[in-house]
Amino acid sequence: MKSAGLHLLTGLIFGLLLLASPARSTHIVGGELERTQISGFTYRVSLILYFDLINGNPGANDPSVTVGVFSKSSNSIVNYLVLPFDSESQVPYTNPLCAIPSIATKRILYSAIVSFPPGVYFQQAGYYIAWDRCCRNGAISNIIAPGATGQLFYMEFPASTNLLTDVFNSSPSLFPPVRDYACVNQLFEYSIAGNDPDGDSLVYSLVSPLAGFSTVSNPAPIVQPGPYPFIIFQPGLGVNNMIPGNPSFQVNSAGIIRVRPSQIGLYVFAVRCEEFRAGQKIGEVRREFQIFVIACGLNTHPSIAYDDFAQANAVADTLSITDSSRCFSVNVTDIDPNTLLSLRGLLTGSPGLQLSIPVNNVLVNTGAQIDTLELDVCLAGCIPSFDTLNLSLILEDQGCPFTLKDTARFVLITNAITNQKPTLLPDVPEGKVSLLNNAFFTLNVAVSDPEQDSVSIRLFSPDIDISQTGILIFPDREKTPYVASMFFRTGCQFFSLDSMRLMLIFEEQTCLESLDTLFYTFHFEYENKAPDIGRIGAADEDSIVFAEIDQPLEELVYLTDADFDPIQLNWQRIQGQVPSNFKIEQLVRLDSLYARITWTPRCTDVSSVPFAFQFVGQEFSCENLKNQKRLYFQPIDIPEREEQPNFISPNQDGKNDRFSIDYLPDQCQFEEISIFNRWGRLVFHSTDDTFQWNGGGEPDGTYYYFARYENKTIKGFVMMIR
């Protein structure tokens, strides 16, 4: 049953491939397969195809590819994977200025997410993935019948289990190739090395490209299991000399291919990258690519020297460096016409130093003569005392297809570096300073430096976070010596401190540590009073406001603060019903707030229980102190009685010297009488129904009385005129 199912699947895929009718084209430059773990046993399987944009047929681009997964031990099919088209991009030159129209390569990526469960992939010999496609570039020089020869893409990977634990493995990812060309009889090298996501060891070697089973008549067959046939090299060529030259084509352990080709042409090659884990091989990736060898103009090496080109690079030049003498010059030249030279350096021995090359790109030999230029090289940063530094200056041309280099080496000997600290002249002597709250403190410091170095200022306090103090520093560098001003205002940030120790650190912006300091101890004396609240024209204890019926009333409640802190005045009803025409509005005058009260009482407002308001004043300072005033408002109706005088004149003339109520009804029910001044302050009180009030030393004016009985209250007023 398994065999029948496999034949059915193979026949179905074969039929789909026939319907697709892929175009036969000499377009394949090279490529490789990759398998990258996403998570667990889920991987992304990718096929990377390099396509010849010059000689290839765009119709040969496949919308998808079908790769086969095979068992290494039996070469039997395990699965077919369809990889849809993902993306494409052009392969760049190392130096775009060296581009030629006869080389243009496109990178095409096909990929899909695939699961490799250990229940399926358990054979310990491992597995391989393959894809077969025809045809190669017909212009390839080192194989027979390239236009009728296919390419077999091939990679190996381990089982998903070693029968004891799960095994996870991503294939090596090789560095992208370049489409650079090689020049006949000139050394050519570049890196095809890569990295392994799992940290496995990688070993590189040259292998013969695989031809597969694809043909001109069947350019995209269903991929078959191996073993696979190799391409056929031209006579005299093989794996060890796929590109003829001296040296011939080779790859080292670091994955760098190297050749000095002796013949022009287009050459295909293959590199195998094997991965090892714990000394055991677990997989491999093969990459095929092409190198175009052309006849180029001769590109000679540039030259760099400190003084004499004849001595360049023979030994390292030794130079003396000081803080005031940081620069030296080198001579550069190149015999090739119209050559762009660039200079860069590698400095070792002092991490605080940086190399500065003001002019590092120059064009030479634009005329008939060979130019020799002098370029400055400087050291920026902190030069250490009595130290030895190693410097390599690398001169590069912009020759094609690769830049050529020359290197000059230097030993730099540094001498003693000295420095003096800055001089400080403050206008406030160091030591103790006492400050009240809301006080302003200013300190001016004249700063001078013997070497004219730049001086920075920073603050430090062990008692408070400087960023929370509001201290400001303003350096005036236009003056000589320049003046640094420090300014702050004592406020709530210092309220919790009895004192603050403050250090001003003046530090030179030089390599040597050179600084001077000023030290102050600030003592804070915090004084604050609660805001003052009261009634204008009334004593502090007056809290009852009498208002006569039909007589307009105006009162002012004021709020002030002796410390001139911000203040706020609020009020709220705390007792009784407020008449509809009773109004309170806030007024602002200079540094005071007022609550202006206006009211004209009506007969309907008369009640035995006064209504009351609470006025609250608050200052906004470090303590946010409050004060309050409570006022009771009592409307009164004063009846007119002819038989009872409403004034007294206590002048001891025997006439109206005392106030009494002769017509008090039902004396046995009398409880008390209270007399108030117009501000509501109690001036007389008695529980005797035979009371007499002679003014008691109060000033002339109108007074109001309340005579309370068991079941009623009699109210009225009396005027006192002496």
Side-chain angles (χ1 to χ4, degrees):
M1 293 298 291
K2 291 183 178 179
S3 177
L6 177 59
H7 292 163
L8 177 61
L9 176 61
T10 304
L12 176 60
I13 294 177
F14 181 71
L16 292 174
L17 293 174
L18 287 178
L19 289 175
S21 299
R24 181 255 180 185
S25 174
T26 57
H27 66 278
I28 298 176
V29 173
E32 68 259 14
L33 286 158
E34 288 185 351
R35 191 182 79 130
T36 305
Q37 184 187 28
I38 296 177
S39 64
F41 299 107
T42 301
Y43 291 78
R44 178 181 295 278
V45 177
S46 302
L47 183 142
I48 302 170
L49 175 67
Y50 297 104
F51 185 93
D52 188 347
L53 288 173
I54 303 300
N55 303 302
N57 180 2
N61 283 0
D62 298 308
S64 65
V65 298
T66 301
V67 302
V69 184
F70 302 94
S71 165
K72 285 184 64 179
S73 61
S74 63
N75 284 324
S76 59
I77 184 69
V78 178
N79 197 3
Y80 285 106
L81 309 176
V82 178
L83 310 182
F85 169 82
D86 184 282
S87 62
E88 63 179 40
S89 59
Q90 194 158 338
V91 177
Y93 282 88
T94 301
N95 183 358
L97 298 176
C98 297
I100 59 175
S102 56
I103 301 179
T105 307
K106 179 170 62 175
R107 180 183 186 271
I108 305 175
L109 176 65
Y110 301 89
S111 68
I113 306 300
V114 181
S115 178
F116 293 85
V120 177
Y121 296 91
F122 56 85
Q123 296 182 17
Q124 296 306 290
Y127 301 84
Y128 62 91
I129 302 175
W131 183 64
D132 201 351
R133 187 67 162 94
C134 190
C135 296
R136 299 175 182 270
N137 278 346
I140 294 176
S141 306
N142 59 340
I143 67 174
I144 295 175
T149 302
Q151 176 178 341
L152 194 287
F153 292 71
Y154 182 87
M155 70 162 292
E156 297 179 1
F157 65 93
S160 296
T161 176
N162 61 10
L163 304 182
L164 294 176
T165 60
D166 295 333
V167 176
F168 304 104
N169 180 65
S170 294
S171 64
S173 177
L174 302 182
F175 291 169
V178 294
R179 61 183 182 187
D180 296 330
Y181 51 88
C183 295
V184 67
N185 296 323
Q186 296 186 35
L187 187 64
F188 174 90
E189 62 183 20
Y190 75 84
S191 175
I192 199 172
N195 59 73
D196 190 273
D198 308 309
D200 298 323
S201 300
L202 303 181
V203 176
Y204 304 92
S205 60
L206 297 178
V207 292
S208 174
L210 296 174
F213 301 111
S214 58
T215 63
V216 173
S217 60
N218 187 14
I222 297 176
V223 63
Q224 299 298 312
Y228 300 106
F230 299 108
I231 55 92
I232 301 175
F233 283 103
Q234 292 284 359
L237 301 180
V239 173
N240 295 325
N241 62 337
M242 285 184 278
I243 303 177
N246 183 23
S248 61
F249 189 70
Q250 55 190 253
V251 63
N252 63 16
S253 59
I256 297 176
I257 61 175
R258 189 169 184 265
V259 64
R260 190 188 303 272
S262 58
Q263 299 177 24
I264 64 174
L266 182 62
Y267 298 91
V268 65
F269 66 91
V271 175
R272 176 175 59 191
C273 177
E274 299 173 285
E275 56 178 330
F276 291 81
R277 183 177 297 176
Q280 299 294 320
K281 179 180 176 180
I282 62 172
E284 73 173 55
V285 171
R286 291 182 177 223
R287 169 182 282 176
E288 292 191 22
F289 206 66
Q290 297 173 177
I291 295 178
F292 192 25
V293 179
I294 65 173
C296 308
L298 182 63
N299 183 31
T300 57
H301 281 78
S303 297
I304 179 173
Y306 176 60
D307 48 14
D308 185 359
F309 285 113
Q311 300 298 322
N313 299 323
V315 293
D317 292 294
T318 301
L319 304 178
S320 178
I321 298 295
T322 65
D323 191 42
S324 59
S325 177
R326 296 168 165 259
C327 299
F328 62 94
S329 299
V330 293
N331 297 319
V332 299
T333 189
D334 194 301
I335 66 174
D336 298 323
N338 294 310
T339 298
L340 181 64
L341 298 179
S342 63
L343 182 63
R344 59 186 176 90
L346 178 63
L347 181 66
T348 59
S350 179
L353 276 176
Q354 295 180 343
L355 197 64
S356 172
I357 304 176
V359 179
N360 62 355
N361 287 282
V362 292
L363 185 64
V364 298
N365 307 336
T366 57
Q369 296 181 345
I370 297 177
D371 298 325
T372 297
L373 300 182
E374 187 178 86
L375 299 182
D376 291 330
V377 178
C378 300
L379 298 180
C382 297
I383 296 180
S385 295
F386 303 111
D387 202 354
T388 300
L389 313 175
N390 295 308
L391 171 63
S392 295
L393 292 178
I394 303 165
L395 180 67
E396 297 176 302
D397 66 12
Q398 297 299 318
C400 294
F402 297 106
T403 61
L404 297 180
K405 307 173 184 178
D406 190 19
T407 302
R409 295 173 176 84
F410 298 88
V411 175
L412 307 180
I413 306 298
T414 65
N415 297 319
I417 308 297
T418 60
N419 190 46
Q420 300 181 52
K421 67 181 182 179
T423 301
L424 310 178
L425 294 175
D427 62 355
V428 177
E430 293 182 86
K432 297 181 179 180
V433 179
S434 297
L435 297 173
L436 298 174
N437 58 301
N438 292 320
F440 293 93
F441 177 80
T442 301
L443 170 67
N444 297 305
V445 183
V447 183
S448 59
D449 186 80
E451 293 87 12
Q452 303 299 314
D453 296 324
S454 177
V455 180
S456 66
I457 309 169
R458 57 188 175 93
L459 303 177
F460 171 75
S461 173
D463 304 313
I464 191 172
D465 183 356
I466 293 295
S467 64
Q468 304 299 317
T469 61
I471 299 177
L472 301 176
I473 295 180
F474 301 97
D476 185 357
R477 302 187 185 276
E478 299 298 325
K479 299 180 180 179
T480 303
Y482 90 83
V483 176
S485 299
M486 184 185 76
F487 168 85
F488 70 92
R489 179 182 179 182
T490 58
C492 296
Q493 69 270 37
F494 306 109
F495 177 64
S496 60
L497 299 175
D498 291 331
S499 63
M500 176 185 70
R501 291 165 292 175
L502 182 66
M503 180 181 292
L504 287 79
I505 304 171
F506 296 80
E507 191 169 12
E508 287 183 335
Q509 302 300 299
T510 59
C511 303
L512 299 179
E513 293 186 2
S514 180
L515 55 85
D516 201 357
T517 61
L518 297 175
F519 189 81
Y520 294 88
T521 301
F522 294 94
H523 294 273
F524 303 106
E525 300 176 11
Y526 189 81
E527 296 180 354
N528 189 43
K529 297 179 180 179
D532 182 28
I533 189 171
R535 291 167 59 196
I536 290 183
D540 290 340
E541 64 270 20
D542 294 339
S543 60
I544 300 179
V545 179
F546 293 102
E548 298 181 27
I549 299 299
D550 296 329
Q551 298 298 316
L553 171 72
E554 180 175 347
E555 291 280 343
L556 286 176
V557 177
Y558 63 87
L559 178 69
T560 61
D561 189 82
D563 306 307
F564 300 101
D565 295 318
I567 53 177
Q568 184 180 68
L569 178 61
N570 296 306
W571 55 84
Q572 65 175 353
R573 179 181 60 85
I574 58 173
Q575 175 180 303
Q577 296 296 321
V578 180
S580 60
N581 62 348
F582 184 89
K583 305 294 181 183
I584 304 178
E585 61 178 337
Q586 183 164 285
L587 303 177
V588 180
R589 296 175 182 172
L590 298 178
D591 296 323
S592 301
L593 297 179
Y594 297 88
R596 181 173 178 264
I597 304 167
T598 56
W599 178 34
T600 302
R602 307 301 181 195
C603 292
T604 55
D605 299 335
V606 177
S607 171
S608 60
V609 179
F611 61 92
F613 274 82
Q614 182 94 335
F615 295 84
V616 179
Q618 179 177 352
E619 54 130 28
F620 294 95
S621 64
C622 304
E623 297 177 294
N624 293 331
L625 299 178
K626 295 181 179 181
N627 206 344
Q628 61 186 21
K629 182 71 174 178
R630 180 174 297 186
L631 294 182
Y632 295 88
F633 296 88
Q634 177 68 61
I636 58 174
D637 184 16
I638 303 177
E640 295 183 1
R641 298 182 181 273
E642 295 182 358
E643 68 276 17
Q644 177 63 39
N646 61 354
F647 70 91
I648 60 173
S649 55
N651 53 9
Q652 307 300 322
D653 62 355
K655 298 179 180 180
N656 295 325
D657 287 333
R658 293 173 176 81
F659 171 70
S660 63
I661 301 178
D662 300 331
Y663 56 87
L664 290 175
D666 200 356
Q667 302 288 350
C668 63
Q669 296 183 4
F670 178 81
E671 293 184 355
E672 64 177 348
I673 186 168
S674 299
I675 300 176
F676 301 86
N677 66 7
R678 66 182 303 269
W679 306 112
R681 181 169 58 85
L682 182 66
V683 299
F684 178 79
H685 178 265
S686 176
T687 57
D688 184 1
D689 58 350
T690 62
F691 75 91
Q692 289 187 344
W693 180 57
N694 63 358
E698 295 294 328
D700 293 356
T702 302
Y703 295 84
Y704 303 90
Y705 62 85
F706 289 80
R708 186 160 62 86
Y709 286 76
E710 184 177 333
N711 57 0
K712 68 178 295 183
T713 299
I714 296 177
K715 298 173 287 185
F717 74 95
V718 61
M719 295 183 62
M720 180 168 60
I721 302 176
R722 286 185 172 85

